[in-house]
Amino acid sequence: MKLLSSVLEKKLLFVSGKGGTGKSCLSACLAYSASLEGKKVLLVEASDQEQLSPLFGLSPFGHQETQIDGSLFGINLNAAACLQEYVVDRLRMPRLYDKVFQNGLVKTFLEAIPGLAETMILGRLQHTVQRNAYDWIVYDAPASGHFLGMMTTLDAVLASELVGPLLEQVKEIRKFLATSTECGFLLVTLAEELVVNETLDFLSQLHLQSPVALSTLVVNRVLEAKQEYGAIDSLPASALQDFLLQKVHHNVTCQQWLQRELPLHGVSLAQTFWLPEWGIIPEPLTPEFVRKFLHAVLSGNAPAA
């Protein structure tokens, strides 16, 4: 399973992409598949509205490492709770937390310093990796635009007038994110014109702004020309048939466009995986579907077109 083995090389995998590309489903499938192979895996998000727990037919995880199935666990990180853990558990200053933050000042403090909330999330991820409680951690990160903001937020905090242990923590986090053996980044895209344009622009910015380097790119919902054209040709001539033929042609053209452009943006085709269109995803996810989904990586790292 080439896609899984390629991303398992990193202890922490960030997964991002434009909204609607299927990044949450892919994050869940990768994490679930690794757990089925005997890895102890933590699947992470940090969202006001959980996206991952419904995929497994479960109630919201909240800020608690919750067993999903077997050796797969999930959590929805909360910045305020991460701050509490940092002050109480890592700085070992529970009295400071009780005096300063228990009076409704946590949110005010997090908002007073731009990027501090994101820094708390990243610090918690680093700490979880270093605890060695899990073989692998998958973070279903914010959509690509917000992901870049998250990656640059550390520099904003470093440029602030912070002093003391928190500033040193930020330096440690940035060093951790830039360590290629520790952290990797998987970007999900689609073979659609608008998404391809945004992906190529994002890649140009990523190289300049992110301490985490791209390790893998997944093109999701790929249509295979021969298979799709054959199925559509069997339909009666109609406006629907014309629409479907145009859709396939557009998808195939965008695949070819990506093949040409990705190397020019520092992404080798060996880093690129192509997943077919699966239609409706079953919820809750089943081991059978997860295996089928990930085994569907098209052979030879080349698009089906």
Side-chain angles (χ1 to χ4, degrees):
M1 194 175 295
K2 297 170 66 177
L3 173 56
L4 184 60
S5 61
S6 70
V7 293
L8 273 172
E9 296 173 356
K10 315 297 182 181
K11 295 180 181 178
L12 169 62
L13 180 72
F14 292 86
V15 181
S16 184
K18 180 178 169 60
T21 56
K23 70 179 184 66
S24 294
C25 182
L26 182 59
S27 298
C29 285
L30 286 169
Y32 200 174
S33 184
S35 73
L36 293 173
E37 294 193 0
K39 303 288 186 182
K40 187 177 180 183
V41 183
L42 181 64
L43 180 59
V44 181
E45 67 179 317
S47 174
D48 292 336
Q49 184 173 358
E50 289 196 17
Q51 302 293 318
L52 296 175
S53 54
L55 289 175
F56 297 95
L58 299 174
S59 301
F61 302 139
H63 189 87
Q64 181 176 358
E65 294 173 16
T66 304
Q67 186 176 29
I68 297 173
D69 183 55
S71 59
L72 177 61
F73 294 76
I75 189 171
N76 182 19
L77 294 179
N78 175 276
C82 289
L83 175 62
Q84 179 179 1
E85 291 172 347
Y86 175 70
V87 175
V88 174
D89 299 331
R90 301 181 66 184
L91 295 182
R92 301 189 183 280
M93 295 180 178
R95 292 184 179 179
L96 173 65
Y97 186 85
D98 290 341
K99 290 182 178 180
V100 177
F101 298 114
Q102 288 287 55
N103 297 319
L105 295 177
V106 174
K107 184 177 180 181
T108 302
F109 182 73
L110 288 170
E111 293 176 348
I113 303 174
L116 186 58
E118 292 82 359
T119 299
M120 290 295 105
I121 299 292
L122 293 171
R124 175 57 151 79
L125 289 169
Q126 178 197 20
H127 181 61
T128 306
V129 169
Q130 294 175 341
R131 278 196 294 128
N132 289 318
Y134 296 93
D135 299 311
W136 195 41
I137 298 171
V138 181
Y139 178 33
D140 180 23
S144 49
H146 290 98
F147 176 79
L148 271 184
M150 183 178 226
M151 289 296 102
T152 57
T153 195
L154 296 176
D155 291 331
V157 176
L158 288 172
S160 71
E161 297 181 356
L162 276 179
V163 295
L166 183 55
L167 183 62
E168 295 304 312
Q169 170 71 8
V170 173
K171 293 178 181 177
E172 288 182 17
I173 295 170
R174 202 183 192 292
K175 182 179 179 181
F176 166 75
L177 294 176
T179 305
S180 60
T181 55
E182 300 278 352
C183 301
F185 175 53
L186 184 153
L187 179 64
V188 188
T189 188
L190 302 176
E192 297 178 3
E193 184 175 357
L194 177 62
V195 183
V196 170
N197 267 318
E198 291 195 15
T199 296
L200 296 177
D201 181 62
F202 173 82
L203 289 171
S204 299
Q205 297 299 314
L206 181 74
H207 298 313
L208 298 173
Q209 299 181 32
S210 173
V212 181
L214 180 76
S215 51
T216 306
L217 186 139
V218 169
V219 187
N220 203 10
R221 302 175 191 163
V222 167
L223 299 178
E224 185 175 356
K226 293 180 181 178
Q227 177 180 328
E228 300 295 339
Y229 281 139
I232 296 170
D233 283 340
S234 66
L235 296 173
S238 63
L240 174 61
Q241 186 190 51
D242 291 341
F243 169 79
L244 294 174
L245 286 171
Q246 290 177 13
K247 181 177 177 65
V248 175
H249 175 73
H250 181 75
N251 189 281
V252 170
T253 300
C254 286
Q255 291 177 49
Q256 296 167 344
W257 179 18
L258 278 167
Q259 277 191 295
R260 293 192 303 269
E261 289 293 326
L262 288 176
L264 302 178
H265 288 75
V267 182
S268 72
L269 295 181
Q271 292 176 273
T272 309
F273 296 85
W274 310 77
L275 289 174
E277 170 64 67
W278 277 99
I280 297 174
I281 306 297
E283 293 185 22
L285 296 174
T286 64
E288 293 73 24
F289 175 80
V290 170
R291 291 191 181 99
K292 190 176 180 181
F293 184 91
L294 290 175
H295 276 299
V297 177
L298 302 178
S299 61
N301 293 342

